[in-house]
């Protein structure tokens, strides 16, 4: 056996959402956007295919400048990655190593522990409150001298709960100024909570805040892998040092630019997804399921020991959702037909499991 890092034995394998094996199955397991690519984005990517024999620009000046303008920061504050998961990896690698702690709420985005252990650091998972939200007081209490970086996922994957601006500000007031706090806003476009924390405003107010964004969800570019961080220039420079060289393809850069051109068209799609989320939520409540408000493109059923049984019923009905054994099931908001399939399947589940 060749030498391998023993820490990797502690890494839970990233479980990709189940993949459909037949066309009669609906995939609501990966928080993907149900809409097909916009024609304008598809055309821009098709034109860029001419250049795939060349490496992409690592600095991506055009896209970087556009995003900087959009966020009201300087281009030096923007760092791209192959999906925001790669940018999250850069953030951890730049901040934490052996002996350092990486803190996040749990359950939250399942890549956080993988990234933390991969960097040689120790993940510190702070349980959510009973109403599925980050327990920011407990997180602040759990900060030690070894805490290097903290992820705040807003709204949270998989529970959909959103944090208010006031809550996150009070939390940041308790975080030492040398600890980086990353506000992961992967689902921000679906967030309709008027009180929600706004990462970019917190970034302006607290020099130890970075914000994480993705083109995978609202912009529907999950397959092209592109996301970015907004960070202070010194942090951003370090992120570029640990970034995988040339990881962000020119196709992804072009698609992201074309998507920014199509914000108005995309906004209609986002509104549709939010309307579907609200329909699914109220129909599930009418069926008797006890679910909280989700501010993301998925809903969360806390089912405990019933999780596996109910997931099997969904699978049997051709609905692939994301089950976390012993905890609950996250169901992505898909097309209206797909959502209705999920609702019909859940309506048929034994009523004893609800609430
Ligand atoms: C909270 C959160 N952050 C980041 C990501 C990563 O998305 P991507 O790497 O596609 O940008 C996801 C994906 O599911 C997520 O749920």
């Amino acid at each position: 056996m060749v030498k391998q890092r023993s820490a990797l034995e502690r890494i839970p394998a990233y479980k990709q959402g189940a993949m459909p094996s037949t066309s009669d199955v609906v995939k609501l397991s990966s928080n993907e956007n149900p809409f097909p690519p916009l024609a304008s984005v598809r055309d821009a990517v098709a034109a860029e295919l001419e250049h795939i024999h060349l490496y992409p620009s690592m600095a991506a000046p055009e896209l970087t400048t556009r995003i900087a303008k959009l966020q009201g920061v300087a281009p030096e504050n923007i760092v791209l990655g192959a999906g925001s998961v790669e940018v999250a990896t850069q953030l951890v690698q730049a901040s934490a190593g052996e002996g350092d702690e990486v803190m996040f709420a749990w359950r939250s985005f399942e890549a956080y522990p993988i990234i933390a252990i991969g960097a040689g650091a120790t993940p510190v998972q702070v349980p959510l409150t009973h109403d599925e939200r980050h327990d920011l007081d407990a997180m602040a209490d759990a900060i030690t001298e070894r805490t290097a970086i903290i992820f705040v996922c807003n709204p949270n994957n998989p529970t959909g709960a959103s944090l208010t601006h006031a809550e996150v500000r009070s939390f940041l007031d308790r975080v030492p100024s040398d600890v980086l706090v990353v506000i992961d806003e992967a689902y921000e476009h679906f967030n309709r909570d008027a009180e929600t924390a706004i990462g970019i405003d917190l970034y302006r107010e607290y020099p130890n805040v970075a914000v994480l964004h993705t083109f995978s969800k609202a912009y529907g570019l999950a397959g092209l892998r592109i996301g970015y961080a907004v960070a202070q220039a010194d942090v951003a420079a370090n992120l570029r040092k640990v970034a995988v060289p040339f990881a962000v393809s020119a196709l992804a850069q072009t698609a992201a630019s074309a998507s920014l051109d199509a914000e108005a068209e995309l906004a209609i799609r986002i509104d549709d997804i939010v309307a579907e989320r609200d329909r699914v939520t109220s129909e599930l409540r009418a069926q008797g399921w006890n679910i909280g408000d989700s501010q993301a493109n998925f809903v969360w059923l806390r089912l405990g020991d019933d999780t596996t049984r109910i997931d099997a019923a969904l699978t049997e009905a051709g609905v692939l959702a994301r089950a976390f054994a012993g905890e609950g099931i996250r169901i992505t908001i898909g097309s209206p037909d797909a959502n209705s399939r999920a609702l019909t399947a859940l309506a048929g589940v034994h009523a004893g499991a609800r609430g």
Side-chain angles (χ1 to χ4, degrees), residues 21-351:
S21 52
T22 69
S23 56
D24 192 38
V25 166
V26 293
K27 181 177 181 236
L28 300 177
S29 52
S30 298
N31 299 341
E32 291 153 332
N33 193 310
F35 289 95
L38 292 174
S40 59
V41 173
R42 200 193 294 247
D43 289 350
V45 170
E48 189 57 43
L49 284 171
E50 292 295 318
H51 305 121
I52 59 170
H53 59 302
L54 303 174
Y55 286 107
S57 162
M58 276 170 67
E62 198 193 307
L63 177 62
T64 301
T65 305
R66 271 195 85 162
I67 293 173
K69 273 204 188 110
L70 183 77
Q71 297 291 352
V73 299
E76 63 176 1
N77 299 118
I78 303 297
V79 182
L80 299 173
S84 58
V85 75
E86 200 242 325
V87 192
T89 307
Q90 296 166 13
L91 283 156
V92 171
Q93 293 209 336
S95 312
E98 209 72 44
D100 295 323
E101 292 174 348
V102 178
M103 186 190 292
F104 43 87
W106 201 248
R107 181 168 284 276
S108 191
F109 181 34
E110 65 182 306
Y112 297 152
I114 298 173
I115 295 168
I117 300 171
T122 304
V124 174
Q125 307 183 334
V126 180
L128 297 170
T129 60
H130 66 279
D131 54 353
E132 310 286 5
R133 310 174 77 238
H134 283 49
D135 190 340
L136 292 174
D137 283 336
M139 289 176 75
D141 291 342
I143 294 172
T144 70
E145 285 193 347
R146 303 193 320 164
T147 308
I149 176 168
I150 302 173
F151 283 93
V152 172
C153 186
N154 187 48
N156 188 45
N157 174 10
T159 61
S162 168
L163 294 163
T164 70
H165 204 69
E167 283 171 326
V168 180
R169 281 192 81 247
S170 333
F171 171 69
L172 290 168
D173 286 337
R174 291 188 61 192
V175 178
S177 59
D178 61 352
V179 174
L180 183 64
V181 178
V182 178
I183 303 181
D184 183 343
E185 296 191 331
Y187 302 97
E188 59 156 348
H189 291 81
F190 307 107
N191 195 338
R192 294 291 185 270
D193 179 358
E195 305 282 301
T196 186
I198 308 286
I200 194 69
D201 291 346
L202 295 166
Y203 161 83
R204 288 209 180 82
E205 195 177 345
Y206 295 85
N208 59 329
V209 165
V211 191
L212 204 50
H213 293 276
T214 181
F215 284 94
S216 296
K217 309 296 177 182
Y219 293 95
L221 298 182
L224 275 175
R225 315 302 306 127
I226 181 160
Y228 66 94
V230 184
Q232 294 299 330
D234 53 346
V235 173
N238 284 336
L239 301 186
R240 289 187 198 98
K241 286 183 193 165
V242 296
V244 176
F246 305 111
V248 185
S249 70
L251 300 182
Q253 294 176 29
T254 301
S257 278
S259 302
L260 292 174
D261 286 335
E263 292 263 27
E265 217 176 332
L266 286 167
I268 297 167
R269 294 178 164 201
I270 293 165
D271 284 348
D272 284 352
I273 294 169
V274 169
E276 271 297 290
R277 174 189 75 203
D278 295 346
R279 175 177 80 92
V280 169
T281 302
S282 48
E283 290 201 19
L284 285 175
R285 284 182 182 149
Q287 287 181 15
W289 301 93
N290 176 19
I291 60 169
D293 289 330
S294 168
Q295 295 297 339
N297 64 340
F298 49 80
V299 293
W300 169 246
L301 297 171
R302 170 79 58 189
L303 299 168
D305 293 341
D306 269 335
T307 300
T308 307
R309 187 174 67 82
I310 294 170
D311 186 46
L314 282 169
T315 307
E316 178 74 13
V319 177
L320 302 183
R322 187 76 173 86
F324 299 96
E327 294 178 60
I329 299 180
R330 186 193 71 199
I331 306 174
T332 300
I333 301 302
S335 68
D337 282 354
N339 302 334
S340 294
R341 287 257 310 257
L343 288 168
T344 305
L346 286 166
V349 170
H350 184 261

